Amino acid sequence: MRKSYFFAFFLILGLSYGFGQSERPKIGLTLSGGGAKGLAHIGILKAIDSAGVKIDYITGTSMGAVVGSLYAIGYSGKQIEKLARNIDWGLLLSNEMALKSLAMEEKGEYGKYAIELPIIKRKLSLPIGVLQGQELWFKFAELYKPVRGISDFASFSIPFKCVATDIITGKAVVFDSGDISTAVRASMAIPSAFTPVDLDGMKLVDGGMLRNFPVRDVKEMGADIVIGSSLSSGLYSRERLNNVIDILLQLAFFKENDDFLEEVPLCDYYVEQTLEGYSMASFGDSETIIDLGIEKGESIFPEIKHLADSLDAIYGKQIFVEDRLPKNDSVLINSHSIIGLESTTETFFIHAIKFGDGKYYTEAAISDLIRKVYGTRYYSSINFKIIKHEDNTNEVVFRVVENPLTYAKLGLHYNDFSGISALLNFTTRDFFTKYSRSLVTYNIGENLRLLGEHMQYFGLQKNVALIARLQVENFKFNTYTDLSRTGQYKQFYTVGELKGQYAGNRDWTGGIGIRQEYIRFKPLVESRLEASGKNTFLTSFAFLKFNTFDRPIYPNKGLKLEAELGSVFNQKPDIEFLEDGVPITDLSTLGIDYENYQRLSIMLDAYQPIAPKWTFNVVFQAGLNFNYSQNLVNNFQVGGLTRTFRNQITFAGYNEGVISTASVATLGLGVNCSLFKNGYLTFKSNGLVSNFTSREKYLRFDTWLTGHAVSFAYLTPIGALEFSIMYGDQSNDLGTYVNFGIPF
């Protein structure tokens, strides 16, 4: 700290003469912005609590506003530390939401595309910020529950102000009243990172653009002694300006730097925490930053303690209360209102969240309800506040921002099997009918793939749906004998499907349907046994899906189940079989017929944390065709690490299609290690048994198989890049496998 004990003594002595012995000097606290580095303020708060210093006023900007406001409403330094260490910052400061909050039919599309751009008035629109931060709104609602209904920030346990910037006028906006969640969210809305907050005709962004260290405001509130904790070291040096991002930040904070130089001298105790090597975005290092802040707090504790002892010596012992947090439990909600509805209705919104007046709710409970309707993807932002009226009734006000109804999406995918491709998707809602979703996805690359789907919701809670799907694809795939490649085929496949489903909740859905499939194939490489031709058939089926994954790729916990039981009938084959180039006219010699048969497919995938950064994974897959006589066209294809095509059973250690069989069951065990933020190392081993229901008579392969894979993955902003080394015990082959992005 800048001030010495000697200075502190004369500062307090001078104040005592100026105010008289009976008037204790007021102490103000100012916390600067700094993004992730702002978590270091927590250590200063703990030092203040340990020293028994009572803070009378607080100001803050950006992350300083977050930490400062929590302290102001009554959280202690220890309580804020516990909150910060337990928060999932990756989820909180992103556009992601827990996958379990999404409707089941939305989970398959979520997180699949690198770019999603809204189409408004038939034109592509660019977002005004990357992060909406829906989970951040939810967290604020829960954290600020103790001051529910208090709109005057001076009425907090410690009077509080925070600063934002209005980008329309270019002026600083100082919040001392209103909704505390909105005020703090505006103060931390870093331009181009977070979306601005629209309020009373203003468009508000991070206060750090103009006033990152608002010391003068705490002086104006009445502070006689100011403790200032700053994470800014001024403008970057010449050596630091080595990329476009740093240059843009330097330009953005020119004006703020001038203000910073004026604010620092107003502090009586100035704590500087530069935290070299960490940036505003270093939330992945939150634990370390908190620890560094605590170390800094311990280093200044003697001076803070000396301040407290000096004041007590002159003005008498002051009662210090560390736990100042008001108790505020559930509240009876008498009425509600919704602001911002345009495309959707109040009836849809209320039934989707299952909300009812005349019931008791907490902020956390209302947040959970909102996640249900947010999971329909009709809304980009939903926040709320509870208002207590003069007649002692309580109203919850929902403020919603609807998503545009149409989006254009772009993704990239590559793996060794399907090659490189771009995924172009158009998704629109309510285009043909109300409460519907229609999409078209086109795979542009080495393999033609096209998908069209229309889903229509029914019922008050929109948990019943009718889904029509048409898919077309053209693939090349290899064939194997005794685990060695012996041929290659080109396959053209189309499917038309109609199914009805019921979603019991966000975790599961089930239903029945019928599909018609058409397959045409021909060999590209000659082999001993060949087949060429086409087949058309119908399948009636029942299905069940269950998904509690916490995120779409590399989940930390959760269970995923996909099961289907079907009956295949009405086959119309036109297939020619050749052996050594000679047509086989009597198919009975191969045991082939085209009678009706039944089939079952199951995929069960489970993740469970077993230690910090370690997750255990178990995968069970099974595909069985019953009463299926060497039909080939509906065999299950074993191999590959990524599910890419119909009837595929992924299997570490072998390439796609290494086994083509009527029946197979596999069990895989693995562990995932989070090496660093977005970096994962995976170890996987699996085994299988095959050909145990309708046995193949002429395709030769081992009925028992084991394989292994070690994979490294890095989650880039446009998809996961995965590199794997595989080994098959029976083939004795060591190979590699590369995958990027999420497949079609």
Side-chain angles (χ1 to χ4, degrees):
M1 299 180 77
R2 195 184 63 186
K3 308 299 184 182
S4 64
Y5 293 160
F6 183 75
F7 173 83
F9 174 78
F10 281 100
L11 170 67
I12 296 170
L13 187 65
L15 289 171
S16 68
Y17 279 106
F19 291 95
Q21 289 287 332
S22 61
E23 189 168 351
R24 190 182 186 98
K26 301 294 186 182
I27 300 178
L29 174 66
T30 295
L31 305 178
S32 78
K37 296 195 294 183
L39 295 172
H41 291 314
I42 296 171
I44 309 305
L45 299 182
K46 292 188 69 176
I48 290 172
D49 286 346
S50 297
V53 172
K54 180 180 179 298
I55 300 297
D56 298 288
Y57 307 105
I58 299 178
T59 59
T61 295
S62 195
M63 186 55 81
V66 177
V67 176
S69 63
L70 293 176
Y71 194 73
I73 69 174
Y75 289 93
S76 67
K78 289 181 182 178
Q79 289 171 320
I80 298 173
E81 178 192 2
K82 183 178 180 180
L83 288 170
R85 291 191 188 276
N86 291 329
I87 283 176
D88 183 346
W89 292 102
L91 176 63
L92 200 67
L93 301 176
S94 72
N95 279 337
E96 294 182 8
M97 61 186 306
L99 192 66
K100 63 183 180 181
S101 299
L102 289 173
M104 273 295 296
E105 57 270 15
E106 299 291 341
K107 292 182 180 183
E109 291 290 301
Y110 185 66
K112 189 173 183 177
Y113 301 97
I115 300 173
E116 298 188 9
L117 297 178
I119 298 178
I120 302 174
K121 295 180 179 180
R122 299 183 179 180
K123 295 182 180 179
L124 285 175
S125 176
L126 295 175
I128 56 178
V130 176
L131 303 178
Q132 182 69 247
Q134 180 63 54
E135 286 292 333
L136 183 63
W137 284 109
F138 291 155
K139 180 57 68 175
F140 280 172
E142 296 170 22
L143 294 177
Y144 295 123
K145 177 183 71 173
V147 290
R148 177 198 302 145
I150 300 177
S151 59
D152 182 3
F153 299 171
S155 299
F156 291 169
S157 176
I158 303 172
F160 172 76
K161 290 183 180 181
C162 64
V163 182
T165 301
D166 182 7
I167 57 175
I168 295 177
T169 64
K171 295 181 179 179
V173 177
V174 179
F175 283 97
D176 58 7
S177 62
D179 176 59
I180 183 63
S181 295
T182 302
V184 173
R185 170 64 173 81
S187 182
M188 63 173 293
I190 300 172
S192 75
F194 282 95
T195 53
V197 173
D198 293 308
L199 181 67
D200 299 333
M202 299 180 290
K203 195 170 284 292
L204 301 170
V205 297
D206 197 302
M209 299 294 295
L210 297 177
R211 305 274 312 285
N212 197 47
F213 194 42
V215 181
R216 78 181 75 157
D217 300 278
V218 83
K219 298 281 284 186
E220 292 170 359
M221 292 173 75
D224 304 304
I225 300 173
V226 177
I227 301 171
S229 176
S230 173
L231 298 154
S232 173
S233 55
L235 296 175
Y236 293 152
S237 64
R238 179 194 299 271
E239 292 75 18
R240 175 68 187 275
L241 294 172
N242 53 21
N243 62 66
V244 66
I245 300 299
D246 289 338
I247 292 173
L248 289 174
L249 287 173
Q250 185 90 320
L251 292 172
F253 289 102
F254 264 148
K255 189 170 183 179
E256 184 279 326
N257 186 65
D258 292 338
D259 180 78
F260 174 76
L261 296 176
E262 295 175 3
E263 301 279 2
V264 171
L266 300 178
C267 295
D268 301 294
Y269 291 84
Y270 176 60
V271 184
E272 184 177 14
Q273 302 189 74
T274 55
L275 298 178
E276 291 293 335
Y278 300 95
S279 70
M280 293 188 294
S282 298
F283 285 97
D285 298 305
S286 59
E287 294 280 345
T288 303
I289 292 173
I290 293 171
D291 290 339
L292 290 173
I294 291 174
E295 290 179 12
K296 186 68 174 182
E298 291 172 348
S299 71
I300 66 167
F301 171 79
E303 296 174 68
I304 299 295
K305 179 62 175 171
H306 182 75
L307 171 63
D309 293 343
S310 300
L311 289 171
D312 288 345
I314 297 174
Y315 300 99
K317 184 71 174 178
Q318 186 179 45
I319 297 176
F320 174 77
V321 179
E322 184 173 356
D323 185 5
R324 300 169 284 107
L325 197 63
K327 304 301 180 185
N328 221 343
D329 296 321
S330 61
V331 60
L332 176 65
I333 301 298
N334 305 98
S335 61
H336 70 271
S337 59
I338 308 172
I339 301 172
L341 292 178
E342 294 181 6
S343 300
T344 57
T345 65
E346 180 176 342
T347 300
F348 171 78
F349 184 91
I350 293 300
H351 279 95
I353 67 174
K354 299 181 180 180
F355 176 84
D357 296 334
K359 298 180 180 179
Y360 283 86
Y361 293 96
T362 63
E363 279 77 359
I366 294 176
S367 294
D368 285 340
L369 294 179
I370 290 175
R371 287 185 179 96
K372 295 179 180 179
V373 70
Y374 190 70
T376 66
R377 308 301 300 276
Y378 271 100
Y379 305 96
S380 65
S381 172
I382 306 172
N383 59 71
F384 69 94
K385 63 179 178 180
I386 298 174
I387 300 175
K388 188 170 186 177
H389 296 295
E390 294 181 357
D391 61 357
N392 288 324
T393 61
N394 298 295
E395 177 188 13
V396 59
V397 178
F398 299 99
R399 185 177 296 273
V400 308
V401 178
E402 294 178 329
N403 272 323
L405 293 178
T406 304
Y407 276 83
K409 307 177 185 182
L410 179 65
L412 297 175
H413 180 250
Y414 170 84
N415 70 24
D416 293 339
F417 171 74
S418 61
I420 190 168
S421 59
L423 303 181
L424 180 61
N425 171 276
F426 290 94
T427 299
T428 184
R429 299 178 189 276
D430 301 353
F431 183 76
F432 296 107
T433 54
K434 192 73 172 175
Y435 304 119
S436 66
R437 185 197 71 183
S438 306
L439 62 83
V440 174
T441 304
Y442 182 44
N443 184 96
I444 307 171
E446 298 178 30
N447 296 289
L448 166 69
R449 307 185 80 175
L450 180 66
L451 169 67
E453 182 180 274
H454 178 77
M455 176 170 57
Q456 180 66 55
Y457 292 104
F458 297 95
L460 287 175
Q461 296 179 5
K462 305 298 181 284
N463 55 359
V464 177
L466 186 65
I467 304 172
R469 177 174 69 98
L470 175 65
Q471 185 170 331
V472 179
E473 58 187 34
N474 199 16
F475 258 118
K476 293 179 182 179
F477 62 93
N478 296 323
T479 58
Y480 294 79
T481 301
D482 291 333
L483 306 180
S484 297
R485 176 183 168 183
T486 56
Q488 186 180 57
Y489 278 75
K490 183 176 183 179
Q491 174 181 282
F492 178 76
Y493 170 77
T494 65
V495 57
E497 180 180 275
L498 182 66
K499 65 181 180 181
Q501 67 177 36
Y502 172 80
N505 53 38
R506 302 284 151 179
D507 297 336
W508 72 270
T509 185
I512 58 175
I514 188 167
R515 71 171 68 98
Q516 183 176 43
E517 297 171 81
Y518 170 80
I519 301 175
R520 185 177 72 241
F521 52 92
K522 65 178 182 179
L524 299 178
V525 177
E526 292 185 0
S527 58
R528 182 186 64 84
L529 182 67
E530 298 175 357
S532 179
K534 60 185 178 180
N535 194 5
T536 303
F537 51 93
L538 292 171
T539 305
S540 59
F541 61 91
F543 68 94
L544 176 66
K545 294 183 179 181
F546 183 85
N547 189 337
T548 60
F549 280 0
D550 56 347
R551 49 179 179 252
I553 55 175
Y554 289 92
N556 188 51
K557 60 182 178 180
L559 176 71
K560 183 177 182 180
L561 169 69
E562 295 179 359
E564 180 182 296
L565 177 64
S567 178
V568 179
F569 61 99
N570 198 34
Q571 297 188 70
K572 297 179 180 179
D574 183 10
I575 302 174
E576 181 182 42
F577 290 85
L578 299 94
E579 187 170 11
D580 296 324
V582 179
I584 302 174
T585 56
D586 184 6
L587 296 184
S588 63
T589 60
L590 298 177
I592 294 177
D593 66 48
Y594 296 100
E595 299 298 324
N596 299 343
Y597 61 93
Q598 296 71 46
R599 69 194 322 261
L600 173 68
S601 62
I602 298 174
M603 190 282 295
L604 179 66
D605 195 4
Y607 289 83
Q608 178 63 43
I610 53 176
K613 298 187 176 184
W614 288 88
T615 303
F616 177 71
N617 172 227
V618 57
V619 182
F620 172 75
Q621 300 174 87
L624 299 91
N625 287 325
F626 303 97
N627 303 313
Y628 174 86
S629 300
Q630 321 305 318
N631 201 326
L632 288 183
V633 296
N634 228 0
N635 274 8
F636 295 96
Q637 309 297 324
V638 177
L641 294 176
T642 307
R643 294 183 71 184
T644 308
F645 54 91
R646 63 181 286 271
N647 287 350
Q648 183 185 6
I649 303 291
T650 58
F651 196 76
Y654 296 89
N655 292 325
E656 291 85 352
V658 70
I659 288 180
S660 178
T661 178
S663 56
V664 61
T666 75
L667 179 65
L669 303 177
V671 289
N672 295 344
C673 175
S674 177
L675 298 175
F676 48 84
K677 183 180 179 181
N678 296 327
Y680 294 87
L681 187 63
T682 299
F683 304 90
K684 182 180 294 185
S685 292
N686 46 207
L688 69 77
V689 58
S690 65
N691 208 23
F692 54 85
T693 56
S694 304
R695 297 185 62 85
E696 301 287 358
K697 296 180 180 178
Y698 53 87
L699 294 180
R700 299 196 304 272
F701 49 79
D702 291 336
T703 56
W704 294 87
L705 214 61
T706 53
H708 319 274
V710 178
S711 305
F712 171 77
Y714 182 74
L715 308 187
T716 75
I718 59 174
L721 175 61
E722 300 165 295
F723 178 79
S724 304
I725 298 175
M726 304 192 303
Y727 179 75
D729 290 316
Q730 284 69 34
S731 66
N732 293 319
D733 285 340
L734 186 68
T736 61
Y737 191 91
V738 178
N739 184 80
F740 177 75
I742 299 177
F744 180 84

